[in-house]
């Protein structure tokens, strides 16, 4: 069997490697020729995927990469892992998925299994992707080719997260489509979770992400309420999580980041409008989580104020550009909004992130592109009036931070176990 994986990003590349490791012949397809060239040279552009893994699979001959969609005609299965962002009006942007469908369709042959993995609203696979594949190929889904949806559950940066071991939900367009898709994934994934339809599988992924967004909003709101009452939310969560049943800990922070949690819930809100259904939990959690960067800025202002300094003219160091610890992914990172807001108040901004020596090109924050991470040394740190921890990467020396900077605003409770001396810690 030869499997094609379209979209070699944070989701597609680990999947390619997992299939190749399992002895399956894999063809990676991406429109970005820089990524294709890098992989063909045996390089990795994702920090937590070592180049050695790419090289090992290239050497076995199990793994090839191309930009050429004509190769789809040789494949037994095509798995689609392209982006599903929101557009400028915060509405679903399915253009990557639909363009991929248009590119695949002319090369689709009878018997091929097509699976969409990108996160999206219920109905996308059957109502949006299927007609494009059918029109472009002249073939019928469920009769001539097989169609399924199977959401990715990648957890970037978590060393215990192994693609093969994460159970995989799959829904087919027909029962036969489901069986064919299961046969594909069973080559590389240990546990499969079949559901009754593509819609049910699409809805499962959204439930998982909405659950996180809502629970993060809950602790973010409780953080503010408890703070006003003189209670530390972090202490409360540690205590609550000793309950052996009925409680899962979630943690507050400076706002949501990454390609999933800030975006995916709004795919459902948009679709629910068609059914005249409000999505109150999604809207409310979005509102609370989106207010967090401003809360962090407010805490920085209060902290400076206590020492008689205005934000204007103060040198503020932001720690962590990535949206979560130990990854080189800054998509939707709340750090950008905190930087923007502090800058607009006249602060002199510095940032430090070992994963980002400089700010990469982003769609929404291009003003910061090329801005360099500060060199970590005593001289530079002592020049800062305040540091704010937004993402707590391991390997950053927080003891030095406390030694060299007199005010630290901490959104992650990172300083809890650190000897802080006379430095004042402001939780935010
Ligand atoms: N990143 C995560 O942790 C994560 C987890 C679960 C699900 N997802 C979902 O998986 C999907 C992919 O996310 P990602 O983080 O891997 O995105 P990504 O941006 O890292 O990678 C997407 C890749 O698709 C390529 N691409 C775009 N259009 C293409 C086309 N027409 N043909 C071929 N390649 C094309 C891009 O060049 C890029 O390499 C999204 O729907 C996302 O919501 C992501």
């Amino acid at each position: 069997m030869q499997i094609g994986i379209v979209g070699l990003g944070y989701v597609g590349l680990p999947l390619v490697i997992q299939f190749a490791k399992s002895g399956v012949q894999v063809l990676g397809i991406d429109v970005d020729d820089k990524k294709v060239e890098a992989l063909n040279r045996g390089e990795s552009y994702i920090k937590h995927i070592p180049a050695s893994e790419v090289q090992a699979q290239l050497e076995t001959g199990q793994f090839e990469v191309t930009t050429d969609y004509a190769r789809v005609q040789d494949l037994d299965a095509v798995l689609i892992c392209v982006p599903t962002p929101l557009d400028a009006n915060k509405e679903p942007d399915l253009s990557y998925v639909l363009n991929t469908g248009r590119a695949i369709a002319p090369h689709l042959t009878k018997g091929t299994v097509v699976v969409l993995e990108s996160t999206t609203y219920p109905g996308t696979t059957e109502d949006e992707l299927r007609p494009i594949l059918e029109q472009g190929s002249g073939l019928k889904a469920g009769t001539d080719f097989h169609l399924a949806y199977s959401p990715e559950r990648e957890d970037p940066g978590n060393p215990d997260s192994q693609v093969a071991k994460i159970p995989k939900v799959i829904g087919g367009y027909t029962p036969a489509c489901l069986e064919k898709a299961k046969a594909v994934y069973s080559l590389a994934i240990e546990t499969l979770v079949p559901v009754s339809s593509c819609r049910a599988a699409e809805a499962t992924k959204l439930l998982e992400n909405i659950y996180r967004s809502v629970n993060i909003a809950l602790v973010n709101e409780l953080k503010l309420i408890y703070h006003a009452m003189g209670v530390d939310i972090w202490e409360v969560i540690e205590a609550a999580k000793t309950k052996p049943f009925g409680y899962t800990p979630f943690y507050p922070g400076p706002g949501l980041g990454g390609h999933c949690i800030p975006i995916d819930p709004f795919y459902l809100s948009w679709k629910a409008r068609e059914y005249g259904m409000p999505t109150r939990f999604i809207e409310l959690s979005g509102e609370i989580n989106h207010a967090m960067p401003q809360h962090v800025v407010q805490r920085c202002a209060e902290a400076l104020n206590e020492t008689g300094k205005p934000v204007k003219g103060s040198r503020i160091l932001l720690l962590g550009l990535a949206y979560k610890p130990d990854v080189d992914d800054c998509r939707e990172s709340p750090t950008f909004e905190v930087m923007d807001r502090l800058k607009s108040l006249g602060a002199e901004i510095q940032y430090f992130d070992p994963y980002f020596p400089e700010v990469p090109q982003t769609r929404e924050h291009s003003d910061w592109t090329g801005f360099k991470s500060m060199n970590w040394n005593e001289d530079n740190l002592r020049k800062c009036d305040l540091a704010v921890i937004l993402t707590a990467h391991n390997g950053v020396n927080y003891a030095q931070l406390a030694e060299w900077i007199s005010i630290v605003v901490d959104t992650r409770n990172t300083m809890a176990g650190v000897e802080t001396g006379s430095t004042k810690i402001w939780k935010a």
Side-chain angles (χ1 to χ4, degrees), residues 305-319:
N305 187 54
E306 200 187 54
T307 59
K309 288 181 186 164
V311 174
K312 189 168 183 165
S314 288
R315 182 176 285 202
I316 299 184
L317 171 64
L318 293 91
L319 291 176

Side-chain angles (χ1 to χ4, degrees), residues 189-200:
I189 311 284
E190 288 174 15
T191 309
L192 303 181
V193 185
V195 293
S196 64
S197 62
C198 297
R199 278 182 162 72

Side-chain angles (χ1 to χ4, degrees), residues 6-12 29-32 35 69 81-84 96 99-100 118-119 152-154 156 205 259-260 264 331:
V6 183
L8 302 173
Y10 287 89
V11 165
I29 304 177
D30 203 292
V31 285
D32 184 342
K35 284 188 178 163
Y69 269 103
C81 310
V82 296
T84 43
Y96 298 90
N99 286 338
T100 300
S118 306
T119 308
E152 186 50 57
R153 283 171 163 166
E154 172 71 2
K205 175 69 185 178
H259 184 29
C260 295
D264 303 344
R331 288 177 294 175

Side-chain angles (χ1 to χ4, degrees), residues 131-210:
I132 286 178
L133 293 173
E134 289 184 343
Q135 279 155 26
S137 66
L139 302 173
K140 276 237 140 302
T143 314
D144 301 320
F145 70 95
H146 306 285
L147 183 63
Y149 179 81
S150 179
E152 186 50 57
R153 283 171 163 166
E154 172 71 2
D155 187 10
N158 176 356
D160 300 327
S161 173
Q162 294 166 16
V163 178
K165 298 216 177 292
I166 301 172
K168 200 131 178 42
V169 173
I170 311 176
Y173 176 54
T174 65
C177 291
L178 174 61
E179 288 312 309
K180 292 287 180 189
K182 277 167 61 187
V184 171
Y185 284 108
S186 65
L187 297 171
I189 311 284
E190 288 174 15
T191 309
L192 303 181
V193 185
V195 293
S196 64
S197 62
C198 297
R199 278 182 162 72
E202 289 159 336
T204 303
K205 175 69 185 178
L206 289 183
L207 168 62
E208 292 167 11
N209 285 352
I210 293 165

Side-chain angles (χ1 to χ4, degrees), residues 53-65:
E53 292 233 22
V54 175
Q55 285 154 17
Q57 299 316 320
L58 283 175
E59 276 162 23
T60 61
Q62 295 291 132
F63 165 40
E64 267 186 278
V65 209

Side-chain angles (χ1 to χ4, degrees), residues 2-313:
Q2 189 176 12
I3 290 182
I5 294 180
V6 183
L8 302 173
Y10 287 89
V11 165
L13 188 56
L15 200 60
V16 162
I17 289 176
Q18 185 56 53
F19 271 103
K21 270 186 187 166
S22 308
V24 182
Q25 193 70 36
V26 196
L27 178 70
I29 304 177
D30 203 292
V31 285
D32 184 342
D33 44 17
K34 286 202 190 73
K35 284 188 178 163
V36 170
E37 283 161 20
L39 291 172
N40 276 328
R41 286 194 302 268
E43 294 166 10
S44 169
Y45 39 80
I46 297 179
K47 266 241 167 55
H48 61 272
I49 301 179
S52 56
E53 292 233 22
V54 175
Q55 285 154 17
Q57 299 316 320
L58 283 175
E59 276 162 23
T60 61
Q62 295 291 132
F63 165 40
E64 267 186 278
V65 209
T66 183
T67 54
D68 181 10
Y69 269 103
R71 299 278 307 275
V72 167
Q73 66 194 6
D74 304 323
L75 301 173
D76 300 293
V78 188
L79 316 181
I80 303 171
C81 310
V82 296
T84 43
L86 295 173
D87 68 15
N89 299 320
K90 304 283 176 210
E91 295 191 342
D93 175 3
L94 281 184
S95 61
Y96 298 90
V97 172
L98 303 184
N99 286 338
T100 300
R102 287 182 195 105
I104 289 173
H107 310 289
L108 210 54
T109 51
K110 280 198 169 186
T112 306
V113 183
V114 180
V115 187
L116 180 62
E117 292 224 359
S118 306
T119 308
T120 184
Y121 55 77
T124 307
T125 308
E126 294 187 14
D127 302 341
E128 315 279 356
L129 182 61
R130 180 178 58 88
I132 286 178
L133 293 173
E134 289 184 343
Q135 279 155 26
S137 66
L139 302 173
K140 276 237 140 302
T143 314
D144 301 320
F145 70 95
H146 306 285
L147 183 63
Y149 179 81
S150 179
E152 186 50 57
R153 283 171 163 166
E154 172 71 2
D155 187 10
N158 176 356
D160 300 327
S161 173
Q162 294 166 16
V163 178
K165 298 216 177 292
I166 301 172
K168 200 131 178 42
V169 173
I170 311 176
Y173 176 54
T174 65
C177 291
L178 174 61
E179 288 312 309
K180 292 287 180 189
K182 277 167 61 187
V184 171
Y185 284 108
S186 65
L187 297 171
I189 311 284
E190 288 174 15
T191 309
L192 303 181
V193 185
V195 293
S196 64
S197 62
C198 297
R199 278 182 162 72
E202 289 159 336
T204 303
K205 175 69 185 178
L206 289 183
L207 168 62
E208 292 167 11
N209 285 352
I210 293 165
Y211 170 80
R212 292 190 58 203
S213 172
V214 168
N215 280 286
I216 293 168
L218 175 67
V219 287
N220 274 331
E221 186 172 68
L222 290 179
K223 165 179 81 174
L224 305 185
I225 297 167
Y226 285 172
H227 176 74
M229 296 175 176
V231 176
D232 178 9
I233 184 75
W234 295 93
E235 182 188 356
V236 172
I237 294 170
E238 283 310 299
K241 79 183 198 199
T242 60
K243 185 179 178 188
F245 50 88
Y247 181 79
T248 303
F250 284 83
Y251 298 94
L256 298 179
H259 184 29
C260 295
I261 314 296
I263 293 174
D264 303 344
F266 296 101
Y267 268 65
L268 190 67
S269 325
W270 181 84
K271 192 64 182 172
R273 268 183 247 149
E274 200 179 301
Y275 295 81
M277 305 291 284
T279 49
R280 290 187 295 251
F281 272 103
I282 294 173
E283 302 301 334
L284 181 60
S285 55
E287 195 184 303
I288 294 170
N289 290 327
H290 282 121
M292 286 305 119
Q294 172 55 25
H295 167 68
V296 175
V297 170
Q298 177 66 28
R299 292 291 282 162
C300 292
E302 288 168 15
L304 287 166
N305 187 54
E306 200 187 54
T307 59
K309 288 181 186 164
V311 174
K312 189 168 183 165

